[in-house]
Amino acid sequence: MIKRNLSMESTKHDIQNIEDIKVLVNKFYDQIRENELLGPIFNGIIQDRWPEHLEKMYRFWQTVLLEEHTYYGSPFPPHAKMPVEKRHFDQWVGMFSRTVDSLYEGEKAERAKWQGARMAEMFQYKIEYYQQNNLKPLM
């Protein structure tokens, strides 16, 4: 009889469909809403429009990870005037990566983390540029 160490066996799977994306997005933004640093910013901007925001995030990640083109538009403009800096982005990236890791493993999970970090870095640089030069982004 072979004994298995169940704690060492992974029960995680890769992100496969829109339901997986909804689980990821919902868990992540539940944590964001409660976070001391990020919660007040997100809650202050989104207010009572969380269902609308979550739907947009489902479509964004569905397009990025599943190549099912359901998101249209530009993700940066809504973030352009947010009162954020490097520490906010570092917190966001860390939380996002930990959320992905807690739920999934595989190629799409790794891509989600990479894409999230890449997007955060780009947003950070763009926001800093607009703030330092007192410019308004084209909407």
Side-chain angles (χ1 to χ4, degrees):
M1 182 161 137
I2 299 173
K3 288 187 177 182
R4 291 186 179 185
N5 184 347
L6 295 178
S7 65
M8 293 190 64
E9 289 184 25
S10 176
T11 59
K12 295 178 194 173
H13 63 274
D14 203 359
I15 298 167
Q16 299 172 1
N17 53 46
I18 188 63
E19 293 308 315
D20 291 339
I21 288 172
K22 286 181 179 182
V23 168
L24 170 61
V25 168
N26 290 339
K27 182 174 181 180
F28 175 65
Y29 281 103
D30 283 349
Q31 294 172 10
I32 288 288
R33 292 163 92 166
E34 299 298 320
N35 183 269
E36 282 183 28
L37 181 64
L38 300 176
I41 296 168
F42 278 82
N43 290 321
I45 292 170
I46 296 172
Q47 298 176 357
D48 64 347
R49 296 182 317 277
W50 275 103
E52 176 186 327
H53 179 71
L54 294 174
E55 281 295 325
K56 193 177 289 187
M57 294 300 92
Y58 303 152
R59 291 190 309 272
F60 175 81
W61 288 108
Q62 182 179 20
T63 298
V64 170
L65 298 175
L66 303 179
E67 298 179 16
E68 298 170 4
H69 298 281
T70 57
Y71 177 85
Y72 299 95
S74 178
F76 177 71
H79 300 86
K81 296 180 183 177
M82 290 179 75
V84 292
E85 53 196 38
K86 184 177 183 334
R87 66 189 176 111
H88 297 95
F89 286 101
D90 290 346
Q91 181 81 354
W92 188 97
V93 168
M95 290 176 69
F96 186 73
S97 292
R98 285 189 298 276
T99 303
V100 172
D101 286 342
S102 74
L103 296 168
Y104 304 109
E105 65 182 14
E107 183 180 329
K108 285 187 173 60
E110 291 303 313
R111 182 161 180 215
K113 294 186 296 184
W114 177 83
Q115 186 71 42
R118 181 175 161 251
M119 187 174 50
E121 182 179 29
M122 179 185 64
F123 280 19
Q124 178 188 340
Y125 288 132
K126 287 175 105 173
I127 288 171
E128 285 175 1
Y129 176 80
Y130 287 117
Q131 289 171 346
Q132 291 170 359
N133 294 286
N134 201 24
L135 298 173
K136 293 183 181 178
L138 297 174
M139 299 290 177

